[in-house]
Amino acid sequence: IAEAELLRWWIAQGASTDIKLSMIERPSGVRRTLAAYGLEDLPTGIFALTVPPADTAAIAAARAAGMSVVPLARKGSYLSVAATSASAAQLARLRPLLQQVASVDLSRAPVNDSVTMLIAAMPHLTRLKLTGTRVSDAGVVRLASLQYLESLNLVDTDVGDAGLRALERLPRLRACHLWGTRVTAGGVARLQQILPRVVVTLAAPVMPPDSFATDTTKKQ
């Protein structure tokens, strides 16, 4: 039965003899079967790729411009960047690091749609936060090239359904935060119909009534 499930999964992926196992999503049943053959411990997504180490001088220059640049993991070349107060000119310091940047947080940074030209050139980006920026539909359209993007935060931006349609071309997208935007329930339904695994949040999370009191007690 397990082998039959594995065969059906392979056919569903196109029955290609050239496709790399590490680049395909594997359901739990398939994972168990692969594990029995010693094939489950394979890197996936961007971690299945070979990326050269980041240039240390470029990292130092980005940090000198006020950005936080840290390794994404203990091993590997990928970087996590936080630049919540950086301007577009300062962000240009990231150009030598485009291959290595896998996570970017620009929350509340003074940037607009022009910054998405730089972001779209980051081929291995998996997580992106644009919360509270001046990014609109025109900027989001450029993000459709980010084939490894898994998580996108567009909270408090001027993004609507037109921008959301561009995200339909992101095969790995799994989480999209959209409260404080112009996106409609109909736009979300369309996105989830095309990408059924995407979890979309249209409302800010609500803290339990007693959580504030608990936090206040701890601080006293």
Side-chain angles (χ1 to χ4, degrees), residues 47-158:
F47 297 103
L49 307 175
T50 300
V51 176
D55 182 76
T56 54
I59 292 177
R63 288 172 175 168
M67 288 176 264
S68 168
V69 182
V70 298
L72 188 68
R74 285 183 294 177
K75 294 182 179 180
S77 303
Y78 292 114
L79 303 171
S80 177
V81 175
T84 55
S85 60
S87 65
Q90 290 170 311
L91 289 169
R93 298 287 185 91
L94 294 174
R95 290 197 180 279
L97 303 171
L98 296 179
Q99 291 287 323
Q100 291 83 18
V101 175
S103 176
V104 171
D105 183 356
L106 296 181
S107 299
R108 312 295 171 188
V111 295
N112 55 29
D113 287 332
S114 64
V115 76
T116 59
M117 289 188 285
L118 177 67
I119 294 170
M122 298 175 178
H124 305 129
L125 193 66
T126 62
R127 300 178 63 84
L128 175 61
K129 289 185 178 182
L130 294 172
T131 309
T133 61
R134 296 192 297 278
V135 170
S136 68
D137 290 339
V140 173
V141 167
R142 296 193 185 105
L143 304 182
S145 64
L146 299 174
Q147 295 302 293
Y148 288 98
L149 193 65
E150 298 176 1
S151 177
L152 178 60
N153 191 319
L154 295 170
V155 170
D156 292 336
T157 61
D158 190 34

Side-chain angles (χ1 to χ4, degrees), residues 9-28:
W9 167 75
W10 175 62
I11 292 173
Q13 300 300 318
S16 171
T17 57
D18 299 320
I19 197 166
K20 293 182 178 179
L21 184 62
S22 59
M23 302 296 288
I24 311 173
E25 285 200 39
R26 305 188 287 277
S28 58

